[in-house]
Amino acid sequence: MNGREQWASKLGFILAAVGSAVGLGNIWRFSYVAGESGGAAFLLIYVICIFLIGLPVLLAEFTIGRKGQTDVIAAFTSKAPGKPWVLGGFFGLAASFFILSFYGVIAGWVLYYIYSYFTGTAGAVEEGGYGDFFESFIGSSGGPIFWQVLFMAIVIGIVYFGVKKGIELSNKIFMPLLAVILLFLAGFSLTLDGASEGLQFLFSPEWSAFGDAEVWSAAVGQAFFTLSLGMGAMITYSSYLSKDNRLPSAAGTVVVLDTLFAIVAGLVIFPAVFSFGIDPGDGPGLIFVTLPEVFNLMGGGGTVFAIFFFILVALAALSSAISLLEVSVAFVMRKFNWARKQAALVVGLLITAVGIPSALSQGGPLTEATIAGLPFLDFVDTLTDMYFLPLGGLMIALFVGWGWRREDAFRESDLTGSSIAPLWIWFLRIVAPLGILWILYLNVVNTPFFQ
Ligand code: PHE
């Protein structure tokens, strides 16, 4: 592994890992899933899942990555040649590839909104007209592809410059910027009349939701997605780490910051939504239709709020997309012995091309070309979220929990002698796998594929 790239600093790694975790998942996905699943109860269940499953699996990914010092496939095969664990690597590689294909499409929509607010077209839409505004955009062909390609070009450009000069540097700029914009927006949102109703929605749970298996399944899905778990992203990032980092505190920092980010994003969105008497349970259109209605009602300040909001979303998406691309790029560099620049360009273009059917499937020409009854984008999203991520996560938990010698696992995760070490190992061995299996079962029973 001579001359393999490394992070310049510990902080750089943490920021990059937080950048990977904080993304569309924390704003777009978290808000609509929480909105649909009843708010506070979902939030509480989600936090439970984050700590019971997310944190142990994240630490396992960091451990595998730093130990392996290689890409997501070789990280499994070099430690346990000929064993089935490498399946976890394949799920991760496939998931990151396909997730990025549609992630780029949705991030492209975000860029289009920034552009439309800047040029004034989005601000000029009549009250009640944002549904049409959104649908006529995503239903066209050229528009969504143009913005998707632009977004992917930026992602490819950053990965092209490598771990230090591309990924680390961009995250060092983006993360502080994100925090500032987010806090500014939350401050504004909380001063709106009626903001307290939004707070109640987010923080005062309906206890009956705890018995609802679908809320649990949504929460585990969200926990994996938001922490970038089961996709090889965290394995790949931690493979650029040297020994002098403490993994448990790194994992804890990432989990806490990611969760805080989602909660504060909720503080931006729900007070605003409730203050204007709008229903938060409208699904994936929440930030593209519902919120713009809210911005519209805010009057003149609304456009400024909107521009900052969508810039926030775009930056968050960018730092996550970078980590998704890096998974495949690292694999191709090792496997085919390619230079980074070549790998970034070729793999990036390939993923962009695979995303095009997704871009055309939301009202555009490929809407009717469904797979298992779902438009292409929804199919890829469901397949990766509901199956690949949990399966990847399951393999990772079992790999470190059962496939490694205990002492090795403790040493490589910097947990030797710590009182949480045994707890961690049993979470990986039993708690996380059972939780994941249960969710997989629910997904099989509930998903459109098997009806
Ligand atoms: N965690 C990111 C989000 O919340 C998505 C992501 C998943 C990024 C997997 C990288 C890897 O949006």
Side-chain angles (χ1 to χ4, degrees):
M1 286 294 127
N2 248 344
R4 200 163 181 278
E5 293 169 276
Q6 295 253 304
W7 303 107
S9 64
K10 279 183 212 179
L11 181 69
F13 163 68
I14 302 262
L15 289 180
V18 172
S20 171
V22 168
L24 291 175
N26 301 61
I27 311 171
W28 164 70
R29 200 175 185 286
F30 172 78
S31 60
Y32 91 74
V33 177
E36 283 177 338
S37 310
F42 170 82
L43 178 60
L44 200 59
I45 294 174
Y46 158 79
V47 171
I48 294 173
C49 295
I50 287 277
F51 284 94
L52 291 190
I53 301 181
L55 184 58
V57 175
L58 180 62
L59 182 56
E61 290 211 16
F62 281 173
T63 306
I64 296 172
R66 187 181 62 180
K67 169 80 182 132
Q69 298 284 306
T70 182
D71 67 282
V72 64
I73 300 294
F76 288 89
T77 49
S78 60
K79 170 93 186 160
K83 296 268 175 64
W85 302 121
V86 68
L87 269 179
F90 283 113
F91 282 118
L93 188 63
S96 62
F97 186 97
F98 286 108
I99 288 182
L100 182 55
S101 77
F102 74 80
Y103 206 83
V105 173
I106 297 169
W109 300 348
V110 176
L111 293 187
Y112 170 73
Y113 269 66
I114 298 177
Y115 167 79
S116 312
Y117 273 105
F118 260 118
T119 56
T121 43
V125 173
E126 297 282 308
E127 199 183 321
Y130 285 95
D132 288 343
F133 176 79
F134 179 55
E135 273 158 31
S136 74
F137 168 67
I138 62 173
S140 66
S141 310
I145 294 182
F146 172 82
W147 294 102
Q148 176 218 357
V149 169
L150 181 66
F151 178 82
M152 290 302 297
I154 303 173
V155 174
I156 294 169
I158 292 174
V159 171
Y160 183 94
F161 282 107
V163 173
K164 281 196 194 90
K165 289 200 194 119
I167 303 176
E168 184 165 349
L169 182 65
S170 58
N171 277 295
K172 277 188 174 155
I173 301 170
F174 295 165
M175 288 307 113
L177 202 59
L178 276 187
V180 172
I181 302 181
L182 186 73
L183 292 174
F184 161 74
L185 291 177
F188 180 75
S189 199
L190 288 171
T191 59
L192 294 169
D193 280 346
S196 59
E197 231 182 296
L199 294 182
Q200 212 172 1
F201 178 73
L202 202 54
F203 295 120
S204 117
E206 298 229 3
W207 300 107
S208 61
F210 280 82
D212 185 344
E214 273 184 42
V215 175
W216 282 89
S217 137
V220 177
Q222 175 63 15
F224 269 91
F225 191 86
T226 189
L227 290 175
S228 307
L229 293 179
M231 286 176 245
M234 293 303 190
I235 294 183
T236 305
Y237 268 12
S238 52
S239 76
Y240 304 123
L241 268 180
S242 60
K243 275 281 171 205
D244 56 354
N245 285 60
R246 306 263 317 143
L247 295 185
S249 59
T253 309
V254 172
V255 164
V256 168
L257 288 180
D258 182 73
T259 307
L260 275 180
F261 196 98
I263 294 176
V264 182
L267 291 182
V268 174
I269 293 170
F270 293 112
V273 166
F274 277 93
S275 133
F276 291 98
I278 288 176
D279 176 12
D282 271 352
L286 182 69
I287 73 163
F288 295 107
V289 178
T290 313
L291 273 188
E293 293 291 354
V294 173
F295 298 146
N296 195 337
L297 294 173
M298 284 177 184
T303 297
V304 179
F305 191 108
I307 289 177
F308 276 109
F309 178 80
F310 285 108
I311 290 179
L312 172 81
V313 182
L315 289 177
L318 191 55
S319 56
S320 298
I322 293 166
S323 72
L324 286 167
L325 179 56
E326 182 63 16
V327 176
S328 301
V329 167
F331 168 72
V332 167
M333 284 169 67
R334 194 257 320 157
K335 177 88 187 167
F336 304 111
N337 211 357
W338 282 11
R340 163 172 293 276
K341 297 193 156 105
Q342 180 185 7
L345 282 175
V346 174
V347 177
L349 286 176
L350 194 63
I351 295 178
T352 310
V354 172
I356 287 179
S358 283
L360 297 177
S361 71
Q362 302 297 300
L366 294 186
T367 310
E368 304 299 322
T370 55
I371 306 180
L374 292 172
F376 199 74
L377 189 154
D378 306 72
F379 172 75
V380 179
D381 184 11
T382 310
L383 182 71
T384 47
D385 271 10
M386 290 195 146
Y387 296 99
F388 286 22
L389 303 192
L391 283 170
L394 180 65
M395 295 307 282
I396 286 163
L398 294 174
F399 177 50
V400 176
W402 298 102
W404 288 34
R405 293 192 10 240
R406 244 171 111 98
E407 312 77 79
D408 289 354
F410 291 164
R411 190 184 59 247
E412 299 300 339
S413 61
D414 305 324
L415 278 178
T416 305
S418 153
S419 53
I420 51 172
L423 205 61
W424 175 60
I425 236 24
W426 286 105
F427 269 71
L428 288 181
R429 288 182 175 176
I430 308 281
V431 180
L434 284 182
I436 296 172
L437 282 172
W438 179 56
I439 295 307
L440 274 168
Y441 165 77
L442 290 179
N443 290 347
V444 171
V445 175
N446 296 331
T447 112
F449 298 150
F450 298 92
Q451 275 169 7

